Amino acid sequence: MYWENELETLKRNDLEKLQFKRLKSTIQSAMNSPYYGNLYKQMGLSADSVRSVSDIQKLPFTTKQNLRENFPYGFLGLPTKELIRLHSTSGTTGNPTVIFHNRHDIDSWANLMARSLFCAGVRDTDVFQNICGYGLFTGGLGFQYGVERLGCLSIPAGAGNSPRQIKLMQDYGTTAIHAIPSYLNRLYEVFLEEGLDPRKDTKLHTFVIGAEPHTEGQRRRIEEMYGVKAYNSFGLTEMNGPGVAFECTCQNGLHIWEDAYLVEIINPETLEPITDGEVGELVLTTLDRQAMPLIRYRTRDLTRILPGTCACGRTHVRLDRITGRSDDMFIVKGCNIFPMQIEGVLMKVPEVGADYLITLKTIDGNDEMIIEVEVKKDWFNGDISRLDKLTKQLTALIRDEVLVKPIIRLVEPNSLPKPEGKAVRVKELRIAL
Ligand code: ADP
Ligand code: K
Ligand code: ZN
C-alpha cells in the first residue's frame, strides 16, 4: 500500500512527537552555520527555546534574500569534506541560490522521491522516462535517484528533442513520465506531426507533472491528450527540489511529507499564522537535513492546507494546488491578477488550444492587458465570425474573473514563443511613469 507503511500513516500526535524531536536537532545543526549561529546567539535562541512544535513561531523567518546575502557558504554547518553534492537555481537576478548536501541528505531525498512516486502509483515494473534537464537543476538527479530507489527501469532522457523523446518511448515501452506541463503540450504537437497518437501508439499510463503552476483544467487536458493519469508534483530547490509534496492516486491535493518538512501557512503581509485553511504563503522548515538546514523558509508560494483526511490513509496533510508565487501577481487598473486565474478560464473553453501569453503594455497612456490565445488545431475554417464570437466570449469570461477587460488576440496553434525551461506567462512592457 505504502512505500513506508509506518511513517506515512503515523497518528497525528506521534507525527508531532517525531517533528518535535527532529526540530530540536535541526536547530542544533543549524546553529553550526555562521548565519543561524550568529543570529540565534544575538537573539538568545537555541534548541531549548522550543518546547513544542508550535514554538517554532518564536524563531525568525528565513528569506531568499538572506540566502543570497550569505552566498555561498553562510548557511553551511558542515565542512566541505562531508559534502557530496550541490544544486543551485539559475540566479539570473543576483547570486544563485545554492543548497549543499551530505550523504544523509541525498539518501533522505532519494527516499522521499521514491515515496512520492509510489504514492502516485509508480511501481518497479514501470519504465520511467525523466524528461527534464539534468545538471544543477534539481528535477534531473532528484527524480533519477528516486526512480532508481523505487526500482523502475529509468530512462534519463533529459530535456528537449521531442522526436528523440518519442523514439525512446517507443523503443523501450515507456509507461511513466516526469515533465513540466507546458512541455507536454508541445510534445503532443510533435506526436501529431509524426502521425502518431500517444493514446494508441505508446504504453504510457502515469505522468508526474510539476515544477510550474498549472490549473486543474490543464491537468485534465494532458490526461485526455495522452490517455493517462497525471499527478501533481511540488518542490523547490531550497527544500531539496521535487519530493516535498505529491498527489496520491486520489488526486485531491498534495500530501506534504511532514516527517521531513514542518509546514506553516502565513499571511504574507502581517506574517501571522493562518490556521483556518485560508490561502497564504507556504513556510517550510527542513526536519531531516544535516548539511544545510533551513528554518521557517518563506517559499513565496501561495496555497492552503486542505481540511479533512485522505481516503488513501496517509496522515500527512494535503496542500491545495499551488496557484503561483506572491511575486507572480501583477496589477492592472488597480486589480490584482494571477496568471493562473486567466489560465483557469482559458482551459475551460474547448476552442482554446495549448498556449497563451499575457502582455502588459501602455497604450495611449493606459495600462492594457493583451492576451494572445492559441486556438485549437483545425478549428479556424476561414469563417471570420467564429473568430469574432470566440474573442467576445473570452473577453467577457476573463473580465468576469479578474475585473479587467482584456484585449484578446487569437493566434494560430503553436505560434507563441516556447521557452526552453519553465513556461513564461507574463511579459511586462509597461512604461514606468
Ligand atoms: P526556480 O526558482 O529557478 O524556478 P525551482 O526549480 O526551485 O527554481 O522552482 C521552485 C518553484 O517552482 C516553487 O517555489 C514553485 O513556485 C514552483 N513550482 C514547483 N512545483 C510546482 C507545482 N507543482 N505547482 C505550482 N508551482 C510549482
Ligand atoms: K524494474
Ligand atoms: Zn492521499
Side-chain angles (χ1 to χ4, degrees):
M1 270 288 268
Y2 310 102
W3 180 248
E4 289 157 290
N5 289 342
E6 207 181 295
L7 271 174
E8 289 176 56
T9 59
L10 271 182
K11 290 209 173 60
R12 291 298 307 178
N13 61 338
D14 291 332
L15 186 54
E16 206 166 295
K17 273 183 209 152
L18 176 66
Q19 288 185 315
F20 180 61
K21 202 178 97 202
R22 290 187 169 181
L23 175 60
K24 282 180 94 83
S25 61
T26 296
I27 297 172
Q28 253 147 16
S29 38
M31 287 189 75
N32 293 329
S33 73
Y35 179 78
Y36 286 116
N38 292 334
L39 182 67
Y40 285 14
K41 259 171 235 148
Q42 255 174 42
M43 297 178 74
L45 294 167
S46 71
D48 293 330
S49 309
V50 295
R51 297 212 161 72
S52 68
V53 170
S54 57
D55 273 351
I56 189 150
Q57 289 173 25
K58 294 182 184 166
L59 307 177
F61 292 108
T62 306
T63 63
K64 193 158 191 106
Q65 187 65 18
N66 297 145
L67 291 177
R68 288 204 169 128
E69 283 166 4
N70 294 277
F71 176 83
Y73 296 123
F75 278 82
L76 197 54
L78 290 178
T80 314
K81 180 175 176 295
E82 303 288 323
L83 307 177
I84 63 167
R85 200 194 300 164
L86 69 80
H87 279 283
S88 87
T89 61
S90 45
T92 35
T93 55
N95 284 333
T97 302
V98 59
I99 302 292
F100 299 94
H101 302 279
N102 71 359
R103 196 168 297 282
H104 167 90
D105 299 337
I106 293 295
D107 185 71
S108 164
W109 181 19
N111 180 60
L112 288 174
M113 272 311 303
R115 187 198 286 177
S116 300
L117 290 162
F118 193 92
C119 167
V122 180
R123 294 293 179 269
D124 58 6
T125 44
D126 278 307
V127 178
F128 194 105
Q129 189 163 331
N130 190 19
I131 307 184
C132 168
Y134 278 63
L136 291 174
F137 180 60
T138 56
L141 289 174
F143 268 89
Q144 185 63 33
Y145 273 53
V147 170
E148 288 181 14
R149 181 71 60 97
L150 183 52
C152 307
L153 169 56
S154 63
I155 309 181
N161 195 343
S162 301
R164 185 174 136 271
Q165 299 287 359
I166 294 172
K167 177 120 182 23
L168 287 170
M169 285 173 209
Q170 295 198 306
D171 285 349
Y172 305 112
T174 302
T175 56
I177 274 178
H178 164 240
I180 59 176
S182 53
Y183 177 71
L184 289 168
N185 283 311
R186 269 182 282 158
L187 183 66
Y188 183 70
E189 292 296 323
V190 180
F191 266 103
L192 297 184
E193 278 162 26
E194 301 201 345
L196 297 170
D197 176 355
R199 304 180 69 109
K200 297 201 195 100
D201 302 317
T202 69
K203 294 188 176 151
L204 298 170
H205 58 67
T206 304
F207 279 16
V208 170
I209 60 177
E212 64 183 9
H214 56 288
T215 52
E216 185 65 35
Q218 180 81 266
R219 182 238 292 273
R220 294 291 165 217
R221 282 177 170 227
I222 288 170
E223 291 190 330
E224 272 162 36
M225 282 190 287
Y226 289 90
V228 299
K229 284 280 173 197
Y231 299 99
N232 197 348
S233 146
F234 169 78
L236 60 159
T237 308
E238 294 87 330
M239 294 291 131
N240 294 345
V244 176
F246 233 82
E247 268 184 336
C248 68
T249 49
C250 301
Q251 289 187 318
N252 56 2
L254 301 91
H255 288 284
I256 178 155
W257 303 124
E258 292 184 88
D259 56 324
Y261 302 98
L262 189 62
V263 188
E264 297 173 82
I265 308 281
I266 63 162
N267 176 325
E269 266 124 51
T270 63
L271 307 183
E272 290 298 318
I274 290 177
T275 47
D276 55 3
E278 291 290 300
V279 173
E281 179 179 342
L282 179 68
V283 171
L284 294 174
T285 298
T286 61
L287 293 177
D288 194 27
R289 211 161 67 184
Q290 296 178 347
M292 193 169 160
L294 291 181
I295 297 173
R296 305 195 84 197
Y297 182 70
R298 291 188 56 182
T299 66
R300 297 176 296 172
D301 288 318
L302 300 172
T303 182
R304 65 187 180 117
I305 292 179
L306 292 171
T309 54
C310 186
C312 76
R314 291 179 179 84
T315 51
H316 301 233
V317 294
R318 285 162 304 136
L319 299 181
D320 202 355
R321 180 177 290 284
I322 286 85
T323 48
R325 298 190 191 188
S326 45
D327 36 12
D328 287 343
M329 193 190 79
F330 55 90
I331 302 177
V332 183
K333 296 179 177 156
C335 295
N336 298 352
I337 303 173
F338 283 96
M340 285 306 112
Q341 287 178 281
I342 297 195
E343 180 177 309
V345 171
L346 294 176
M347 291 301 134
K348 281 191 199 125
V349 178
E351 294 87 348
V352 168
D355 208 2
Y356 62 94
L357 178 65
I358 305 162
T359 302
L360 307 175
K361 208 171 170 181
T362 314
I363 301 177
D364 298 332
N366 291 320
D367 279 2
E368 297 292 351
M369 173 169 68
I370 301 161
I371 310 177
E372 290 166 280
V373 181
E374 288 182 1
V375 296
K376 278 245 173 82
K377 209 169 174 228
D378 302 328
W379 170 78
F380 184 58
N381 57 4
D383 177 358
I384 303 289
S385 71
R386 295 188 92 181
L387 292 177
D388 196 42
K389 198 168 149 238
L390 182 58
T391 304
K392 283 195 178 122
Q393 185 196 354
L394 293 177
T395 306
L397 286 171
I398 287 171
R399 190 193 42 219
D400 288 350
E401 170 70 28
V402 301
L403 308 178
V404 170
K405 188 174 170 190
I407 300 172
I408 297 287
R409 290 199 185 133
L410 300 179
V411 301
E412 279 178 42
N414 229 351
S415 63
L416 290 172
K418 314 287 177 210
E420 261 296 299
K422 302 189 188 199
V424 176
R425 298 305 186 192
V426 185
K427 224 164 83 183
E428 175 66 84
L429 298 178
R430 285 181 289 190
I431 303 158
L433 295 176

